[in-house]
Amino acid sequence: MIAATMTIRVRYAETDKMQVAHHSRYLEWYECARTEMMREIGYPYKALEQDGVMLPLIETNCRYIQPAVYDDLLEITAILVGLPRSTIKIDYLLKRSSDQALLAEA
């Protein structure tokens, strides 16, 4: 199994008036983790594209379990779970660093 974990802090601009992170930000955080995973396995996006390989997002699914809030330090793990011929499948786990609570999975 290929996996990579990165951390990111919830910024104020990513939250609403209650300081809860907006659901749209989760996909951006997943992209950051996916980019780092590709870099760690030695095939960063830049190299992929130079080789003529594009990775368009064709499907997404996210289950929100608990909210991420302003200033939370998050751990996002990208897990490469499938590598068929023309698509790849990546799962994501998003946890709060302070208590390891699972906030979302995709």
Side-chain angles (χ1 to χ4, degrees):
M1 174 175 67
I2 298 171
T5 300
M6 63 163 300
T7 58
I8 194 163
R9 189 170 299 278
V10 179
R11 297 169 294 188
Y12 190 78
E14 297 171 321
T15 66
D16 60 18
K17 282 189 160 203
M18 296 181 297
Q19 298 187 356
V20 173
H22 191 268
H23 69 277
S24 65
R25 299 304 182 166
Y26 288 63
L27 294 178
E28 294 174 16
W29 298 335
Y30 298 151
E31 178 187 0
C32 292
R34 181 175 60 249
T35 299
E36 288 304 314
M37 181 188 66
M38 298 301 291
R39 187 174 288 120
E40 285 187 22
I41 65 173
Y43 205 26
Y45 271 105
K46 188 173 185 176
L48 261 142
E49 291 181 352
Q50 287 173 344
D51 290 344
V53 177
M54 305 305 259
L55 291 178
L57 182 62
I58 60 170
E59 183 179 344
T60 185
N61 169 352
C62 185
R63 186 168 76 96
Y64 302 96
I65 301 165
Q66 294 184 39
V69 298
Y70 172 66
D71 210 36
D72 273 351
L73 186 60
L74 307 175
E75 295 176 6
I76 306 128
T77 302
I79 307 159
L80 184 61
V81 294
L83 193 56
R85 290 191 79 180
S86 62
T87 60
I88 64 173
K89 183 175 187 298
I90 302 171
D91 286 344
Y92 301 92
L93 300 174
L94 187 131
K95 295 180 180 181
R96 186 173 34 245
S97 292
S98 62
D99 60 2
Q100 291 297 296
L102 181 62
L103 305 184
E105 56 188 9

